[in-house]
């Protein structure tokens, strides 16, 4: 895994403000950032197992809409175009709210929880849901049901 991660070591920490400024200055776009993030996920998740579920189509659409807003000089907020992942204890419309438990795999959220709704309204890109320990009761985050 160390060899795998070494290719993706960030050179510097980038904050939300850094991304917002890069988008506003047209150094990059939310679409480019999301596609790089998605490529990292595809390249590493088979070994790291950090994502339970990814909403690729929804994230691509949100990234394109954000990119358009920046191109027009009208971002919604500093959060516009920022990729965000959610723990599966929070409802994300169309994704499984498992709370880390295999027996909850059949529960697909019909609505966004309030925090997800608010993140979307300020332009954040909801990428998907991370793996979490059953009911979040252990600090490791390891969950054998989701191999991670």
């Amino acid at each position: 895994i160390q060899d795998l991660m070494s290719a993706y070591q960030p050179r510097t920490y980038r904050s939300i403000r850094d991304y917002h400024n890069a988008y506003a200055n047209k150094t990059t776009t939310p679409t480019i950032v999301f596609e790089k993030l998605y490529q990292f996920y595809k390249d590493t998740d088979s070994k790291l197992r950090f994502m339970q579920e990814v909403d690729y189509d929804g994230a691509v659409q949100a990234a394109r809409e954000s990119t358009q807003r920046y191109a027009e000089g009208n971002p919604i907020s500093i959060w516009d175009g920022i990729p965000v992942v959610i723990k599966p204890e929070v409802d994300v419309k169309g994704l499984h709210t498992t709370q880390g438990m295999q027996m909850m795999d059949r529960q697909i959220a019909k609505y966004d929880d309030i925090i997800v709704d608010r993140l979307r309204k300020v332009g954040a890109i909801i990428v998907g849901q991370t793996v979490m320990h059953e009911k979040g009761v252990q600090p490791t985050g390891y969950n054998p049901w989701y191999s991670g």
Side-chain angles (χ1 to χ4, degrees):
I1 291 177
Q2 187 63 31
D3 291 338
L4 186 62
M5 293 303 296
S6 65
Y8 290 98
Q9 291 298 320
R11 294 181 187 192
T12 59
Y13 170 78
R14 290 178 180 84
S15 68
I16 291 169
R17 183 166 303 284
D18 291 336
Y19 280 103
H20 172 73
N21 290 340
Y23 298 158
N25 296 329
K26 298 181 179 30
T27 306
T28 190
T29 69
T31 301
I32 290 169
V33 169
F34 171 71
E35 289 298 340
K36 287 183 178 184
L37 177 66
Y38 186 71
Q39 187 61 52
F40 173 79
Y41 157 75
K42 288 188 344 184
D43 291 347
T44 61
D45 197 56
S46 64
K47 295 209 185 318
L48 300 178
R49 300 296 301 148
F50 58 94
M51 293 296 290
Q52 175 182 297
E53 193 168 10
V54 173
D55 179 13
Y56 178 79
D57 293 337
V60 165
Q61 179 180 343
R64 287 178 181 158
E65 290 169 0
S66 179
T67 296
Q68 184 63 37
R69 288 189 294 271
Y70 275 100
E72 295 169 354
N74 296 314
I76 297 171
S77 74
I78 194 169
W79 282 90
D80 204 347
I82 302 300
V84 176
V85 294
I86 307 291
K87 290 287 186 186
E89 62 191 345
V90 175
D91 286 341
V92 177
K93 184 179 179 180
L95 300 184
H96 296 84
T97 305
T98 65
Q99 297 180 28
M101 297 187 304
Q102 188 179 35
M103 64 187 231
M104 308 259 306
D105 249 355
R106 294 180 291 278
Q107 289 190 275
I108 297 176
K110 294 179 183 168
Y111 306 97
D112 283 335
D113 210 338
I114 192 165
I115 187 66
V116 176
D117 179 64
R118 288 182 179 176
L119 284 165
R120 289 190 202 275
K121 285 179 179 174
V122 295
I125 300 168
I126 306 300
V127 176
Q129 294 174 317
T130 63
V131 170
M132 69 177 275
H133 200 281
E134 289 182 303
K135 296 293 259 179
V137 296
Q138 294 292 325
T140 63
Y142 176 75
N143 189 323
W145 299 119
Y146 299 100
S147 301

